[in-house]
Amino acid sequence: MSAEQTPTPETPEAEPRPVRLTAAAALAGLEGLALVAGGVWMLVLGLTGSPDDRRGAVTGGITLIVLALLPLLAARGLLLRRGWSRGPAVITQVLALPVAYNLLQADSVAIPAGIVLAVVAVAALVLLVNPATTRALGIRGPGNAPDQK
């Protein structure tokens, strides 16, 4: 590592990664993996099964797989303590809340999935806005910018 890459005590990388940050990354990663699994399932079912709309099933499967990139990249960024990664992680959680609500409105076995998704999304949001997570990612709030003279 060069002198510029070596963490100093003032940089967030010098401190151990907070458990909250690791947990937020794990939740985002699990959501991404769930999207990949759902996308593969839809894609396989669309290609090998007999869905009502084969084109819609294949398109939906591909869409879910592509959408999985956002939480997976965010999870990787959180684990590597990249400040940019909190934005995509928060967006993923905010987008998960209406999906959870729709699942909760169903009269089927989707209700438990809606409960799990809502709990995971809210827990991840709480972890992502936690001050320890914010500090670990090197994110400064308004008025906390370093003095530039």
Side-chain angles (χ1 to χ4, degrees), residues 3 30 49 84 90 120 132:
L30 285 174
W84 62 263
V90 169
V120 168

Side-chain angles (χ1 to χ4, degrees), residues 40-124:
V40 168
W41 179 74
M42 282 181 71
L43 192 59
V44 168
L45 197 61
L47 293 173
T48 62
S50 56
D52 295 335
D53 181 12
R54 183 177 307 272
R55 185 178 300 165
V58 170
T59 302
I62 292 170
T63 302
L64 284 180
I65 292 169
V66 171
L67 285 174
L69 292 175
L70 184 66
L72 290 174
L73 288 173
R76 185 175 189 279
L78 290 171
L79 285 176
L80 296 174
R81 299 171 78 160
R82 305 291 190 252
W84 62 263
S85 62
R86 189 173 81 156
V90 169
I91 289 169
T92 300
Q93 307 318 316
V94 170
L95 291 174
L97 291 173
V99 174
Y101 178 78
N102 284 334
L103 290 172
L104 290 171
Q105 300 304 310
D107 277 339
S108 68
V109 292
I111 293 174
I115 293 169
V116 170
L117 182 58
V119 168
V120 168
V122 170

